[in-house]
Amino acid sequence: MTQQISALPTAAFVPLDELDEISGVLGAIHYTDGASDPDVSPGHLRLDLHMAREPAEGFAEVWTTDRPVETGESGGIGYAHDGEHLICGGRVPPSGNYAEATRAAYTTMLELMESLGYQRCARMWNFVNDINADNADGLEVYRDFCLGRAEAFEARNFSDTSVPAATGIGSLGGGISFYVLASRSNTLTPIENSKQVSAYNYPKQYGPRPPKFARATHVSATEDRAAGQVYVSGTSSIRGHETLFAGDVEKQTLLALENIAHLIGPETAADHRIEQHSTLADLDTIKVYVRHREDIPAVRRICEEHFSPDAQVAYLNVDVCRADLSVELEGIVH
Ligand code: 3EB
């Protein structure tokens, strides 16, 4: 039997004024100064997230492919696919209660993935405006979001051990924006961190329903999982299920980096029967979310000591999902 080899998707951060020069775009996620609904009129998925205070701070995360791209829209979800990979996204408008609209939007998206034939969900990103504020019922907006997300996964029969890697992070406006990367035939392996309680097993003190995500997803074009990519979820200063070093952004950054190093390192790879293992120097297209703008230089200094000088790293000044967390980091091992 011959093994179907398909190139894995690749992302790069691109200045907004250089987007016209890129061909083969599957999706362009604009981290910019305003949010909008998904738009497929450019022939790819464009989704604007309100993650920058001014246009000069904006950039796009661009996903490219060497195959023909088809686009469409269904129930408010915009999508683009190339026969092996699907990127799709949507937005829940600002609201006093998010759970029901989140459940509905997520369910529409998961149904769409199924009907288009891209059921292997590798990575999700969620951008939540006023993430630490109370909703109309006094429930923290992040917890409100987690409730709707958990219900949608359950309705679509996703077990905890089949949820994708994810980011859940603050944004500056637009309600809740989200996008997803899924594949038709790649081999996906969800990865957990032995130093952290799985998010889907967090105790009730963090909200009525836990955040449903894996710490990372290993994606391989072959069934033997010999080589591939690792999508590392948003990672913070959490051990077990507890936040450590509240109020000390440098220590929180170091512990988050330690968590990622352990997650992509040899011990965790062996635990998950993956041959490939990596170090922080292998991480690329990294996003560093920092709650307080004045902390960015200190966080940047620490990051530069651990990441490759060739890695693309974006620093974003937004809130983090727990009020006692000052920093969260994500990236991809290509
Ligand atoms: C944590 O480890 C920090 O709700 O999708 C990280 C990654 C976090 C994803 C999500 C939340 C999410 O719990 C927060």
Side-chain angles (χ1 to χ4, degrees):
M1 208 177 86
T2 53
Q3 185 106 46
Q4 183 88 35
I5 307 286
S6 53
L8 294 167
T10 48
F13 297 157
V14 178
L16 294 172
D17 59 3
E18 291 174 22
L19 283 174
D20 290 348
E21 296 158 34
I22 302 176
S23 58
V25 177
L26 187 66
I29 312 301
H30 293 226
Y31 287 73
T32 187
D33 64 336
S36 62
D37 288 332
D39 175 18
V40 294
S41 65
H44 59 254
L45 172 69
R46 174 175 169 176
L47 185 67
D48 286 16
L49 311 171
H50 194 168
M51 295 294 282
R53 287 176 207 270
E54 46 187 279
E57 290 183 354
F59 66 95
E61 178 188 85
V62 180
W63 295 86
T64 51
T65 173
D66 49 17
R67 304 155 175 242
V69 173
E70 278 181 45
T71 60
E73 189 274 328
S74 176
I77 306 293
Y79 62 88
H81 58 114
D82 71 353
E84 176 52 41
H85 305 109
L86 168 76
I87 187 165
C88 57
R91 185 164 75 102
V92 176
S95 163
N97 311 70
Y98 280 111
E100 175 50 28
T102 299
R103 187 201 56 73
Y106 250 70
T107 301
T108 302
M109 181 170 68
L110 296 173
E111 283 171 355
L112 180 68
M113 287 161 52
E114 189 174 329
S115 66
L116 293 170
Y118 299 87
Q119 280 173 278
R120 302 182 180 198
C121 186
R123 187 65 169 91
M124 291 189 169
W125 285 264
N126 304 285
F127 304 88
V128 182
N129 183 207
D130 288 329
I131 191 166
N132 301 129
D134 281 354
N135 76 358
D137 306 319
L139 182 67
E140 189 188 32
V141 167
Y142 175 61
R143 300 173 182 208
D144 188 9
F145 159 75
C146 283
L147 187 54
R149 173 173 57 177
E151 288 177 354
F153 276 132
E154 275 167 18
R156 300 308 305 161
N157 293 312
F158 270 74
S159 66
D160 284 347
T161 51
S162 62
V163 291
T167 292
I169 197 72
S171 75
L172 302 172
I176 300 178
S177 299
F178 54 90
Y179 65 100
V180 171
L181 199 65
S183 117
R184 184 161 273 171
S185 63
N186 286 330
T187 303
L188 305 192
T189 311
I191 302 176
E192 291 300 313
N193 189 329
S194 61
K195 296 178 190 287
Q196 298 188 287
V197 172
S198 294
Y200 46 75
N201 289 329
Y202 281 170
K204 285 262 195 289
Q205 73 196 73
Y206 301 104
R209 301 304 314 276
K212 300 261 187 175
F213 65 95
R215 296 293 175 192
T217 309
H218 182 266
V219 179
S220 177
T222 59
E223 275 173 34
D224 61 10
R225 299 185 283 192
Q229 296 177 340
V230 188
Y231 293 97
V232 177
S233 290
T235 304
S236 276
S237 178
I238 295 174
R239 273 290 150 95
H241 58 73
E242 285 170 350
T243 299
L244 297 191
F245 308 126
D248 187 332
V249 74
E250 299 192 6
K251 283 192 178 159
Q252 286 208 337
T253 305
L254 286 166
L255 187 67
L257 289 170
E258 227 177 280
N259 278 333
I260 296 177
H262 181 68
L263 184 70
I264 62 179
E267 205 181 305
T268 305
D271 285 350
H272 292 77
R273 302 182 188 288
I274 297 166
E275 274 176 51
Q276 175 186 5
H277 54 85
S278 319
T279 72
L280 292 173
D282 299 312
L283 213 56
D284 203 353
T285 43
I286 298 160
K287 290 181 211 124
V288 184
Y289 304 100
V290 183
R291 181 186 293 275
H292 302 296
R293 176 169 293 265
E294 63 273 19
D295 288 339
I296 292 179
V299 172
R300 185 193 295 266
R301 251 191 322 274
I302 295 168
C303 287
E304 285 174 353
E305 286 170 15
H306 293 84
F307 298 146
S308 161
D310 299 327
Q312 289 196 295
V313 189
Y315 295 85
L316 299 106
N317 173 214
V318 290
D319 290 338
V320 183
C321 68
R322 287 185 188 177
D324 54 10
L325 288 172
S326 301
V327 61
E328 183 174 310
L329 303 96
E330 61 167 73
I332 304 172
V333 179
H334 285 286

